[in-house]
Amino acid sequence: MKTGSCLGAVVIGSLFLSVCQQAAAQGDSASRVGENDLSGVVRSANGPEAGVWVIAETGDLPTKFTKIVVTDDRGRYLIPELPKANYSVWVRGYGLVDSPKVRAAPGKVLDLTAVVAPSAAAAAEYYPPIYWYSMLKVPAKSDFPAGPVKTQPEWVNQIKTSGCMSCHALGTKGTRTMPKDFAQFKSSAEAWGRRITSGQAMTQMTTALGRLDPLRALALWGDWTDRVAAGELPFARPERPQGIERNIVLTLWDWSTPTDYMHDLISTDRRKPTVNANGKIYGATEESTDYFPVLDPSTHTAGRIKHPVRDPKTPSSKSAPMASSPYWGPEPIWDSQTSIHNQMMDERGRVWATARVRPPANPDYCRKGGDHPSAKVFPLESANRHLSMYDPASGKFTLISTCFPTHHLIFAEDANSTLWASNGVTGPGAVGWLNRRMFEETGDEVRSQGWTPFILDTNGNGRRDEWVEPNQPVDPTKDKRVQVSLYSINVNPIDGSVWGTSMGFPGHVVRVAPGPDPTHTAITEIYEPPFPGYGPRGGDIGRDGVFWASLASGHLGKFDRSKCKGPLNGPNATGKHCPEGWTLYRFPGPQFRDVQDDGSVEASYYTWVDWFDAFGLGKNVPIASGNMSDAYFALVDGKWVTLRVPYPMGFYAKWSEGRIDDPSGGWKGRSLWATYSTRTVFHNEGGKENRPRVVKFQLRPDPLAR
């Protein structure tokens, strides 16, 4: 149809105008599409569909490959830079059900027909887990204390990232429905009691339950799944992507195996994100396997490398207590001696990891009576995880036995490239480090490591002195040791102080000033989030010195130490002394109906700060994992930008990783990387055939940019 004909159609009537609009949209798509693109318009019976996802997936490449974009306000889409292959293409969106899959190849204009959901129930099947989990009933404030739990907020803390949702999201299809194998139980509460003993995470799940009033908790979860089975639907609904959220391009690759799971991935040096540009991605498989995955995104090839141990007697997850799994049966599916938890890349592209290399019992030099300088100050009897380094250039591993347990790790920007390590949810009350320069020059792992307890300067004299123990009252003439345990760990680029989160209720943000000899000079400060905030888990610090933490209360917590008005040390500086340093930002999504306190059901696992604008939203932008929302949440100028992964449903990340492949390459040279980190990949869309996936997020200038 020629332009002149369309102009004339305006006079004739609205029917012809509609035809002309469709033709114009097709013309836009045709003019934009390149030989490696797919482009078109998405329409349903309601007309053009804005803010819905177009998904293209292929199995023709060495590993499964998927690319996802969002339609603009006129229903137009453009999927850029597809590798040559045959693709299945379909539409997904809130208020819709999946459209029939269409076969297509790049270089085509492909208009798609979206399918409006025939019912509210059909539409809700595509909602993120948070909308289903918000239906869970929570005991009223008047019901507390309940068992060991004193208050309602403490209960909420436990049923979120401080307990039940630290390994997977509740509210997925696999958790809001009960396996058929459990149909013989008299009640759903009884079935839930059996459910949490399934598989090799049994001990962790039953321990988390034990921190609640177990019978009441099981009854509430049973009531929840019963109501879902009876047809009750979420009381809130998700919104479609808006504004800049429609500019996101997602690329996904399968890696690892259906029985493995990831904790994290690494792609570059946090301190210099141009390291390993366009290079391979490495995964951390924790308790599932010693074979960690490697993805080459340039060739779409996934492989695996076996991480060794020093001692064949190193324990394995294969022997963990378990009951039969309704998915995998009575045989254990995990077999990991190394328990690779977290990785960091150095300036040479080498991959450092917190990994188990030997049995937990420490050598004598670490323990009471040991001759290590740190052991003389604070002896350590055991360490359940240590350090390792993999050099891709040589293919060789270096295994490092540490006296201190490790969990997350981070490089400092100092002359020694000091590698600091946290010790997890619970620990001995110490933070450890490796002097990397000394280790690489001497190979002496004993001299190159150290650790220190957490000592508050409660006498306020500016130095570390003799201290009282955690169970003793503050002595105005002495300092005080506190029993905290760093979960996350970060180094402030401004002053070299070490920061992290200490989990619990209400939990703390912890700052450690190492001093010239950390074993003897390190001074600790702790800061408690003010209510309604509580339950920090993962946190990170910006290059501006501002600390950000994911809170179980359903907030992102911002802590700016420079805003503290009172003394930072002294007898009253024991956690509650700087509420003015905190700002709380409520995460998107609904709150539990029975909870009136401010917050969201969102149970964010970790927050990562984009130091160098690797993604494109700006420097020092905090990006929090939306573990109940199939998403990340970026806070930009005080407003949320949701980075949603709609397929396969169940995206659950524990870490973020920004890499700059080409500083002058515009949006194509910058990206955010993640992996599906749920322990129960088989709970996600696709079931037992699922593999963990790598996700690359890119932010283009508009929804049709190529």
Side-chain angles (χ1 to χ4, degrees):
M1 184 177 292
K2 296 181 180 180
T3 303
S5 301
C6 278
L7 290 174
V10 176
V11 179
I12 297 172
S14 60
L15 175 62
F16 288 92
L17 178 60
S18 175
V19 172
C20 291
Q21 287 173 331
Q22 293 179 18
Q26 289 174 337
D28 287 345
S29 300
S31 64
R32 286 176 175 270
V33 69
E35 64 178 0
N36 297 318
D37 307 333
L38 270 176
S39 183
V41 180
V42 175
R43 300 181 186 85
S44 71
N46 296 328
E49 289 284 354
V52 300
W53 293 281
V54 178
I55 305 168
E57 184 170 76
T58 183
D60 292 352
L61 303 175
T63 193
K64 185 184 286 185
F65 175 91
T66 310
K67 207 152 193 176
I68 305 172
V69 299
V70 189
T71 58
D72 71 0
D73 58 357
R74 294 164 59 186
R76 300 175 299 177
Y77 77 92
L78 188 146
I79 307 178
E81 296 190 319
L82 287 167
K84 291 295 183 184
N86 292 309
Y87 291 85
S88 293
V89 186
W90 71 98
V91 179
R92 172 170 290 184
Y94 300 135
L96 307 176
V97 296
D98 280 0
S99 67
K101 294 181 179 180
V102 179
R103 297 288 289 173
K108 306 294 184 183
V109 174
L110 179 67
D111 291 343
L112 297 165
T113 301
V115 181
V116 176
S119 66
E125 289 297 313
Y126 297 88
Y127 291 0
I130 187 172
Y131 294 93
W132 292 95
Y133 197 51
S134 62
M135 297 165 57
L136 179 76
K137 293 180 179 178
V138 174
K141 287 189 175 184
S142 59
D143 290 341
F144 292 91
V149 186
K150 297 178 182 178
T151 66
Q152 188 191 66
E154 189 176 350
W155 180 282
V156 173
N157 185 60
Q158 278 300 319
I159 64 169
K160 294 175 74 176
T161 45
S162 288
C164 301
M165 287 189 288
S166 59
C167 296
H168 55 79
L170 289 171
T172 57
K173 184 78 169 181
T175 57
R176 68 178 184 261
T177 56
M178 192 60 69
K180 295 179 180 178
D181 294 32
F182 296 162
Q184 76 275 16
F185 290 100
K186 296 178 182 178
S187 69
S188 292
E190 187 178 336
W192 267 96
R194 169 61 180 81
R195 182 181 212 171
I196 64 169
T197 66
S198 302
Q200 291 147 278
M202 179 185 83
T203 300
Q204 290 163 288
M205 290 191 286
T206 55
T207 299
L209 177 66
R211 298 192 190 108
L212 299 165
D213 177 347
L215 293 179
R216 178 173 295 193
L218 293 172
L220 290 171
W221 281 320
D223 169 74
W224 172 52
T225 49
D226 282 346
R227 286 185 286 117
V228 170
E232 185 175 330
L233 298 176
F235 58 83
R237 294 181 294 179
E239 293 184 355
R240 291 182 178 183
Q242 304 289 329
I244 198 172
E245 297 169 352
R246 295 180 180 177
N247 300 353
I248 296 167
V249 178
L250 303 171
T251 309
L252 295 83
W253 295 264
D254 274 15
W255 66 346
S256 200
T257 76
T259 56
D260 297 342
Y261 73 88
M262 297 302 111
H263 193 280
D264 293 321
L265 57 67
I266 197 72
S267 71
T268 190
D269 185 343
R270 175 72 192 278
R271 303 161 298 175
K272 188 178 181 182
T274 53
V275 169
N276 194 41
N278 298 300
K280 294 178 179 178
I281 315 292
Y282 302 86
T285 48
E286 204 182 27
E287 294 291 291
S288 62
T289 180
D290 294 326
Y291 290 87
F292 66 86
V294 182
L295 173 74
D296 187 338
S298 298
T299 61
H300 315 293
T301 302
R304 298 201 299 167
I305 297 171
K306 185 175 183 179
H307 190 300
V309 293
R310 281 187 180 181
D311 187 338
K313 295 181 181 179
T314 302
S316 169
S317 59
K318 188 173 184 178
S319 60
M322 63 170 286
S324 180
S325 164
Y327 292 88
W328 303 102
E331 295 301 318
I333 61 171
W334 297 344
D335 185 4
S336 174
Q337 292 180 293
T338 52
S339 189
I340 310 163
H341 185 268
N342 182 230
Q343 299 157 314
M344 284 290 153
M345 188 174 283
D346 68 18
E347 70 282 354
R348 293 165 55 184
R350 300 177 302 179
V351 180
W352 296 74
T354 55
R356 193 160 49 216
V357 305
R358 59 165 174 83
N362 273 343
D364 288 343
Y365 66 81
C366 311
R367 306 170 72 175
K368 188 174 182 178
D371 58 4
H372 191 284
S374 294
K376 293 178 181 179
V377 173
F378 196 73
L380 298 176
E381 299 300 311
S382 64
N384 63 353
R385 196 182 277 118
H386 318 97
L387 293 171
S388 73
M389 186 271 285
Y390 171 70
D391 186 353
S394 65
K396 295 181 179 179
F397 285 87
T398 301
L399 306 181
I400 305 164
S401 172
T402 60
C403 299
F404 52 89
T406 66
H407 202 67
H408 292 98
L409 71 171
I410 197 77
F411 284 110
E413 298 178 65
D414 59 17
N416 295 320
S417 285
T418 306
L419 183 61
W420 290 88
S422 69
N423 45 48
V425 179
T426 59
V431 62
W433 63 88
L434 179 77
N435 183 324
R436 206 191 91 195
R437 179 180 178 182
M438 179 185 292
F439 177 72
E440 294 187 332
E441 289 177 352
T442 67
D444 190 333
E445 69 182 15
V446 178
R447 287 180 53 226
S448 301
Q449 68 176 286
W451 63 95
T452 187
F454 298 104
I455 309 297
L456 303 182
D457 179 22
T458 46
N459 65 17
N461 65 2
R463 65 175 185 269
R464 201 168 95 182
D465 303 303
E466 183 181 352
W467 65 78
V468 297
E469 291 297 326
N471 60 349
Q472 296 174 321
V474 171
D475 183 331
T477 67
K478 297 180 180 180
D479 292 337
K480 182 177 178 63
R481 184 172 77 85
V482 286
Q483 186 62 42
V484 294
S485 179
L486 290 188
Y487 180 78
S488 63
I489 191 162
N490 324 97
V491 178
N492 186 342
I494 298 173
D495 61 9
S497 57
V498 178
W499 289 69
T501 50
S502 182
M503 292 178 60
F505 184 84
H508 296 91
V509 164
V510 181
R511 177 184 186 267
V512 179
D517 176 15
T519 295
H520 301 93
T521 61
I523 294 176
T524 296
E525 300 166 11
I526 59 174
Y527 299 95
E528 181 181 311
F531 195 79
Y534 54 82
R537 192 173 181 102
D540 196 10
I541 197 163
R543 296 192 73 82
D544 55 2
V546 175
F547 190 84
W548 300 84
S550 294
L551 303 181
S553 57
H555 300 87
L556 176 63
K558 174 185 178 181
F559 181 71
D560 187 345
R561 182 174 176 267
S562 69
K563 293 185 177 181
C564 296
K565 296 177 180 178
L568 300 176
N569 296 291
N572 297 317
T574 55
K576 297 180 182 292
H577 56 295
C578 184
E580 66 273 13
W582 287 89
T583 306
L584 303 180
Y585 298 89
R586 184 186 185 278
F587 280 124
Q591 176 63 291
F592 292 110
R593 272 189 163 169
D594 300 319
V595 176
Q596 300 305 310
D597 297 325
D598 180 67
S600 164
V601 176
E602 182 53 62
S604 177
Y605 191 98
Y606 218 103
T607 294
W608 174 84
V609 180
D610 190 349
W611 284 359
F612 302 106
D613 192 23
F615 181 55
L617 289 172
K619 293 182 179 180
N620 289 317
V621 168
I623 300 177
S625 57
N627 296 80
M628 297 296 293
S629 304
D630 294 342
Y632 281 119
F633 297 120
L635 189 68
V636 183
D637 297 327
K639 297 181 179 180
W640 291 112
V641 176
T642 299
L643 317 178
R644 190 93 69 189
V645 182
Y647 169 83
M649 288 182 283
F651 175 67
Y652 181 102
K654 294 184 177 178
W655 172 253
S656 310
E657 175 72 359
R659 188 169 77 181
I660 301 176
D661 292 324
D662 182 358
S664 60
W667 71 271
K668 293 183 179 180
R670 296 172 181 267
S671 53
L672 181 73
W673 294 85
T675 184
Y676 280 65
S677 295
T678 173
R679 285 191 173 198
T680 52
V681 183
F682 43 88
H683 282 171
N684 291 353
E685 180 181 5
K688 288 177 60 177
E689 300 303 314
N690 270 331
R691 297 169 183 259
R693 294 198 181 197
V694 173
V695 186
K696 180 181 182 180
F697 297 76
Q698 293 174 291
L699 185 68
R700 52 185 173 178
D702 65 75
L704 301 179
R706 292 180 54 213

